[in-house]
Amino acid sequence: DFGDAPVTAGNLNLRQPSAVFHQAGLFPVTLVVGNQYGCLDTVVQQAQIHHPPTAAFEQEFPCQGRGILFSDQSIPADASLVQFTWNVKSSSDGERVFQGNPVSIVFDEATEYEVGLTVTDAFGCTSAVNSTIDIVPKPSGAFNYVNIAGDEQGVLYFENQTAGAVEYIWDFGNSSTSTFFEPETRYTLEGVYTIVLVSY
């Protein structure tokens, strides 16, 4: 017997019934037991029902192939949060589970993922939230360079062959950089240089 507690209960004539309390608070729960002889015993216990936390999270811009940081933004209620479980699903990539906060998750495919967070507080109360995230495809970086005959010696012209990007950072390995789409640079010393193009 749950008295006037706002509760939905089932299997009340069994040894272990189920009950869902719809409000936080302190509620008296009465248990009456009887044996085959008609003898009865009654026990009353106060059930402390806590407010659940409210799960929420935020993430960085979802780019394919790099670690995306997911951070908990949940609101605790009657106790501090002690556990963070992240669930990531897609139709082609299956299901993965991560623990902790924050977490960095790599998405290998440019597709739709469902990301869920379940938080648990010190009383064992839980809350969950799910969000669908579209992973943006990463650019495909490529370039070539030419040294046009007759031009100043040591000057290279770069042909940008990148697809799917709008910003570029070049490092020519000679202490100079550029953000142009197709830059040029001059090498004053003979040698082997590593050229890096980062595209966004």
Side-chain angles (χ1 to χ4, degrees):
D1 181 5
F2 297 93
D4 58 356
V7 64
T8 302
N11 303 321
L12 294 182
N13 59 341
L14 298 180
R15 186 179 182 93
Q16 292 181 318
S18 61
V20 177
F21 286 81
H22 303 290
Q23 182 180 321
L26 191 63
F27 302 101
V29 178
T30 303
L31 170 63
V32 179
V33 294
N35 62 17
Q36 68 269 31
Y37 304 112
C39 301
L40 302 177
D41 191 22
T42 301
V43 61
V44 179
Q45 220 174 80
Q46 300 293 322
Q48 177 70 59
I49 306 301
H50 297 282
H51 293 91
T54 302
F57 67 87
E58 65 181 10
Q59 84 275 343
E60 296 176 322
F61 189 79
C63 293
Q64 176 191 11
R66 78 172 175 91
I68 301 167
L69 195 66
F70 286 79
S71 302
D72 171 66
Q73 297 294 309
S74 302
I75 302 170
D78 294 347
S80 58
L81 301 176
V82 295
Q83 186 174 357
F84 307 86
T85 303
W86 304 84
N87 194 291
V88 178
K89 295 186 221 174
S90 78
S91 57
S92 58
D93 203 19
E95 185 173 343
R96 296 179 289 162
V97 177
F98 302 86
Q99 299 288 339
N101 178 61
V103 295
S104 180
I105 302 173
V106 176
F107 296 85
D108 295 324
E109 299 183 26
T111 187
E112 193 175 83
Y113 286 82
E114 184 179 321
V115 178
L117 168 64
T118 301
V119 292
T120 306
D121 69 16
F123 289 130
C125 298
T126 65
S127 178
V129 63
N130 291 290
S131 181
T132 300
I133 297 173
D134 288 315
I135 302 301
V136 177
K138 64 181 176 181
S140 177
F143 68 88
N144 197 5
Y145 62 88
V146 292
N147 186 355
I148 299 174
D151 282 3
E152 189 177 354
Q153 195 170 16
V155 176
L156 294 185
Y157 300 88
F158 291 87
E159 297 175 344
N160 193 336
Q161 300 165 342
T162 300
V166 295
E167 293 183 37
Y168 310 91
I169 299 176
W170 297 83
D171 185 335
F172 304 111
N174 61 354
S175 299
S176 65
T177 61
S178 175
T179 57
F180 290 135
F181 177 70
E182 292 187 323
E184 64 180 66
T185 192
R186 179 178 179 174
Y187 293 92
T188 56
L189 297 174
E190 241 180 75
V192 176
Y193 295 88
T194 299
I195 301 165
V196 178
L197 169 60
V198 179
S199 50
Y200 299 87

